[in-house]
Amino acid sequence: MNARTTLTAVATALSLSLLASGTAAAASATPPDPAPGGPQRPHEPDVAGTRNIDSLSVTATRGPDGRSLTIAFDRRSRAETGQVPAGARRFVFLFDRSVRFNPEAFPTCSRTLIEQQGVQACPEGSRIGGGRGEYATGEAQEVLAFNTRIGPLPGVLVVLPASGVILEQTLERVSVPYQRDYRWALDEILPPTSVPPQERAGTVRFQLSFGATRHHRGRLVGFAETSARPGSVLGFGLWSEFVTGQVVLPTARTPLVLSTSTDRNASAIG
């Protein structure tokens, strides 16, 4: 092998090595915060714990009455070590660029009202979704979602009536790295509690849907709507941060299906 051939071989090997290391670094990079401009969670130091392995599936159903949309997220989580999944700090729900929201067309329910009088006191039409949470113990809880305002921002209250948990989501534009695929995010903060972070159990499955309709200013309006046609493939994501400092971003792509049901309340709650 002459000197020129040797130099070429070395250069090729070096290029392949750099490419491989760059690919590995990209694969292991922490997904950036999709909604950094909203309310901030109080700082807590990371704790030792298991890594979570999360997956996401989503269904998107367009109503027969126009652009109204029901989006159902289904997150599953397990601990890498087979233990209970680590507790969460934040979830940021990411919605396809074709999706828009109309919170101004729906009544709102305040956190204070729910805390003082329960979810039954919320105004008619303020409930815009719901779902179910499941834990490693086998316990399951109903989840309700209400349109609200959190300070100056539109948002959603995620309520687990059985345990009295109320979580706040703020509706925000996604940050620059995400704008190619998404437009809006619902940023959910799980605030610190008296339970030490390492003892906060995460859910093994969490289902949450967004979707309701009502007449507003002479037309039927969906809480969520889409400009996409049935059959189009829509993209969604769920940026998740845990008490261990781990951040994951499972994503899902799903075809938009057309509902044949006229019972929008049933499809909205999920």
Coordinates of all heavy atoms in Angstrom, one line a residue, residues 88-91 93 111 114-115 135 143-146 148 150 155-160 163-170 187-193 203 206 208:
A88 N -43.3 12.0 37.5 CA -43.1 13.0 36.4 C -43.0 14.4 37.0 O -43.6 14.7 38.1 CB -44.2 13.0 35.4
R89 N -42.3 15.3 36.3 CA -42.3 16.7 36.6 C -43.2 17.5 35.7 O -43.9 18.4 36.1 CB -40.9 17.3 36.5 CG -39.9 16.9 37.6 CD -38.5 17.4 37.3 NE -37.6 17.1 38.4 CZ -36.3 17.1 38.2 NH1 -35.8 17.4 37.0 NH2 -35.5 16.8 39.2
R90 N -43.1 17.2 34.4 CA -43.9 17.9 33.4 C -44.2 17.0 32.2 O -43.5 16.0 31.9 CB -43.0 19.0 32.8 CG -42.9 20.3 33.6 CD -42.0 21.3 32.9 NE -42.6 21.8 31.7 CZ -41.8 22.4 30.7 NH1 -40.5 22.4 30.8 NH2 -42.4 22.9 29.7
F91 N -45.4 17.3 31.6 CA -45.7 16.7 30.4 C -46.1 17.8 29.4 O -46.8 18.7 29.8 CB -47.0 15.7 30.5 CG -46.7 14.5 31.3 CD1 -47.3 14.2 32.5 CD2 -45.8 13.5 30.8 CE1 -47.1 13.1 33.2 CE2 -45.6 12.3 31.5 CZ -46.2 12.1 32.7
F93 N -47.9 18.2 25.8 CA -48.6 17.6 24.7 C -48.4 18.4 23.5 O -48.6 19.6 23.5 CB -50.1 17.5 25.1 CG -50.4 16.6 26.2 CD1 -50.2 17.0 27.5 CD2 -50.9 15.3 26.0 CE1 -50.5 16.2 28.6 CE2 -51.2 14.5 27.1 CZ -51.0 14.9 28.4
R111 N -59.9 26.7 39.0 CA -59.4 25.7 40.0 C -60.0 25.9 41.4 O -60.4 25.0 42.1 CB -57.9 25.9 40.1 CG -57.2 25.0 41.1 CD -55.7 25.3 41.3 NE -55.1 24.3 42.1 CZ -54.3 23.3 41.7 NH1 -53.9 23.3 40.4 NH2 -53.8 22.4 42.5
I114 N -63.4 24.3 41.7 CA -63.4 22.8 41.8 C -62.9 22.5 43.2 O -63.4 21.5 43.9 CB -62.4 22.2 40.8 CG1 -63.0 22.4 39.4 CG2 -62.2 20.8 41.0 CD1 -62.1 22.0 38.3
E115 N -61.9 23.2 43.8 CA -61.4 22.9 45.1 C -62.5 23.1 46.2 O -62.5 22.4 47.1 CB -60.2 23.8 45.4 CG -58.9 23.4 44.6 CD -57.8 24.4 44.8 OE1 -58.1 25.6 45.2 OE2 -56.6 24.0 44.6
Y135 N -52.1 2.9 37.6 CA -50.9 2.8 38.4 C -50.4 1.3 38.4 O -51.1 0.4 38.2 CB -51.1 3.3 39.8 CG -51.4 4.8 39.8 CD1 -52.7 5.2 39.6 CD2 -50.4 5.8 39.9 CE1 -53.1 6.6 39.6 CE2 -50.8 7.1 39.9 CZ -52.1 7.5 39.8 OH -52.4 8.8 39.7
V143 N -60.3 10.5 34.9 CA -59.6 11.8 34.6 C -60.6 12.7 33.9 O -61.3 12.3 32.9 CB -58.3 11.7 33.8 CG1 -57.7 13.1 33.5 CG2 -57.3 10.8 34.5
L144 N -60.8 13.9 34.3 CA -61.7 14.9 33.7 C -60.9 16.1 33.3 O -59.9 16.5 33.9 CB -62.8 15.4 34.6 CG -63.7 14.3 35.3 CD1 -64.7 14.9 36.3 CD2 -64.4 13.4 34.2
A145 N -61.3 16.7 32.2 CA -60.5 17.9 31.6 C -61.5 19.0 31.4 O -62.6 18.9 30.8 CB -59.8 17.6 30.3
F146 N -61.1 20.2 31.9 CA -62.0 21.4 31.9 C -61.3 22.6 31.2 O -60.1 22.8 31.5 CB -62.5 21.8 33.3 CG -63.4 20.8 33.9 CD1 -62.9 19.8 34.7 CD2 -64.8 20.9 33.7 CE1 -63.7 18.8 35.3 CE2 -65.6 19.9 34.3 CZ -65.1 18.9 35.1
T148 N -60.2 26.3 31.0 CA -59.9 27.3 32.1 C -59.0 28.4 31.6 O -58.6 28.4 30.4 CB -59.3 26.6 33.3 OG1 -59.3 27.4 34.4 CG2 -57.8 26.2 33.0
I150 N -55.4 30.3 33.1 CA -54.3 30.2 34.1 C -53.5 31.5 33.9 O -52.7 31.7 33.0 CB -53.4 29.0 33.9 CG1 -54.3 27.7 34.0 CG2 -52.3 29.0 34.9 CD1 -53.6 26.5 33.6
G155 N -56.0 27.6 29.1 CA -55.5 26.4 29.5 C -56.5 25.3 29.8 O -57.7 25.5 29.5
V156 N -56.1 24.2 30.4 CA -57.0 23.1 30.7 C -56.6 22.7 32.1 O -55.5 22.6 32.5 CB -56.7 21.9 29.7 CG1 -57.5 20.7 30.2 CG2 -57.1 22.3 28.3
L157 N -57.7 22.3 32.9 CA -57.5 21.7 34.2 C -57.7 20.2 34.1 O -58.8 19.8 33.6 CB -58.5 22.3 35.2 CG -58.3 23.7 35.6 CD1 -59.4 24.2 36.6 CD2 -56.9 24.0 36.3
V158 N -56.7 19.4 34.5 CA -56.8 18.0 34.4 C -57.1 17.5 35.9 O -56.2 17.7 36.8 CB -55.5 17.4 33.9 CG1 -55.6 15.8 34.0 CG2 -55.3 17.8 32.5
V159 N -58.2 16.9 36.1 CA -58.7 16.7 37.5 C -58.9 15.2 37.6 O -59.5 14.5 36.8 CB -60.0 17.4 37.7 CG1 -60.5 17.2 39.2 CG2 -59.9 18.9 37.4
L160 N -58.3 14.6 38.8 CA -58.6 13.3 39.2 C -59.5 13.3 40.5 O -58.9 13.5 41.6 CB -57.3 12.5 39.5 CG -56.4 12.1 38.3 CD1 -55.8 13.3 37.5 CD2 -55.4 11.1 38.7
S163 N -58.8 11.3 43.9 CA -57.7 11.6 44.8 C -57.5 13.1 45.0 O -56.7 13.6 45.8 CB -56.4 11.2 44.1 OG -56.2 11.7 42.8
G164 N -58.4 13.9 44.4 CA -58.4 15.4 44.6 C -57.2 16.1 43.9 O -57.0 17.3 44.2
V165 N -56.6 15.4 43.0 CA -55.5 16.0 42.2 C -56.0 16.9 41.1 O -56.9 16.6 40.4 CB -54.6 14.9 41.6 CG1 -53.5 15.6 40.7 CG2 -53.9 14.2 42.7
I166 N -55.4 18.1 41.0 CA -55.8 19.1 40.0 C -54.5 19.6 39.3 O -53.6 20.1 40.0 CB -56.5 20.3 40.5 CG1 -57.8 19.9 41.2 CG2 -56.9 21.3 39.4 CD1 -58.6 21.0 41.9
L167 N -54.3 19.3 38.1 CA -53.1 19.7 37.3 C -53.5 20.8 36.3 O -54.5 20.7 35.7 CB -52.5 18.5 36.6 CG -52.1 17.3 37.5 CD1 -51.7 16.1 36.7 CD2 -51.0 17.7 38.5
E168 N -52.6 21.7 36.1 CA -52.8 22.8 35.2 C -52.0 22.7 33.9 O -50.8 22.4 34.0 CB -52.4 24.2 35.9 CG -53.3 24.4 37.2 CD -52.9 25.7 37.9 OE1 -51.8 26.3 37.5 OE2 -53.6 26.2 38.8
Q169 N -52.7 22.9 32.8 CA -52.0 22.9 31.5 C -52.2 24.3 30.9 O -53.3 24.8 30.9 CB -52.6 21.8 30.6 CG -52.5 20.4 31.0 CD -53.1 19.4 30.0 OE1 -53.9 19.8 29.2 NE2 -52.7 18.2 30.2
T170 N -51.1 24.8 30.4 CA -51.3 26.1 29.7 C -51.1 25.9 28.2 O -50.2 25.1 27.7 CB -50.2 27.1 30.2 OG1 -48.9 26.5 30.2 CG2 -50.6 27.6 31.6
D187 N -48.9 22.6 28.1 CA -47.8 22.4 29.0 C -48.3 22.1 30.4 O -48.9 23.0 31.0 CB -46.9 23.6 29.0 CG -45.7 23.5 29.9 OD1 -45.5 22.4 30.5 OD2 -44.9 24.5 30.0
E188 N -48.1 20.9 30.9 CA -48.6 20.4 32.2 C -47.5 20.3 33.2 O -46.6 19.6 33.0 CB -49.4 19.1 32.0 CG -49.9 18.5 33.3 CD -50.6 17.1 33.1 OE1 -51.5 17.1 32.3 OE2 -50.2 16.1 33.7
I189 N -47.7 21.0 34.3 CA -46.7 21.0 35.4 C -47.2 20.2 36.6 O -48.3 20.4 37.0 CB -46.3 22.4 35.9 CG1 -45.6 23.2 34.8 CG2 -45.5 22.4 37.2 CD1 -45.2 24.6 35.1
L190 N -46.4 19.2 37.0 CA -46.7 18.5 38.3 C -45.9 19.1 39.4 O -44.7 18.8 39.5 CB -46.4 17.0 38.1 CG -47.4 16.2 37.2 CD1 -47.1 16.5 35.7 CD2 -47.3 14.7 37.5
P191 N -46.5 19.9 40.2 CA -45.7 20.7 41.2 C -45.1 19.8 42.3 O -45.6 18.7 42.5 CB -46.7 21.7 41.8 CG -48.1 21.0 41.6 CD -47.9 20.2 40.3
P192 N -44.1 20.2 42.9 CA -43.5 19.4 44.1 C -44.6 19.2 45.2 O -45.5 20.1 45.3 CB -42.4 20.3 44.6 CG -42.0 21.2 43.4 CD -43.3 21.4 42.7
T193 N -44.5 18.1 45.8 CA -45.4 17.8 47.0 C -44.5 17.4 48.2 O -43.3 17.4 48.1 CB -46.3 16.6 46.6 OG1 -45.5 15.4 46.5 CG2 -47.0 16.9 45.3
T203 N -47.5 6.9 36.6 CA -48.5 6.1 36.1 C -47.9 5.1 35.1 O -46.9 5.4 34.4 CB -49.6 6.9 35.4 OG1 -49.0 7.8 34.5 CG2 -50.4 7.7 36.4
F206 N -51.6 6.4 30.9 CA -52.4 7.6 31.1 C -53.1 7.9 29.8 O -52.4 8.2 28.8 CB -51.5 8.8 31.6 CG -52.3 9.9 32.2 CD1 -52.7 9.9 33.5 CD2 -52.7 11.0 31.4 CE1 -53.5 10.9 34.1 CE2 -53.5 12.0 32.0 CZ -53.8 12.0 33.3
L208 N -55.7 10.5 27.8 CA -56.4 11.8 27.9 C -56.8 12.3 26.6 O -56.0 12.3 25.6 CB -55.4 12.8 28.6 CG -55.9 14.2 28.8 CD1 -57.1 14.2 29.8 CD2 -54.8 15.1 29.4

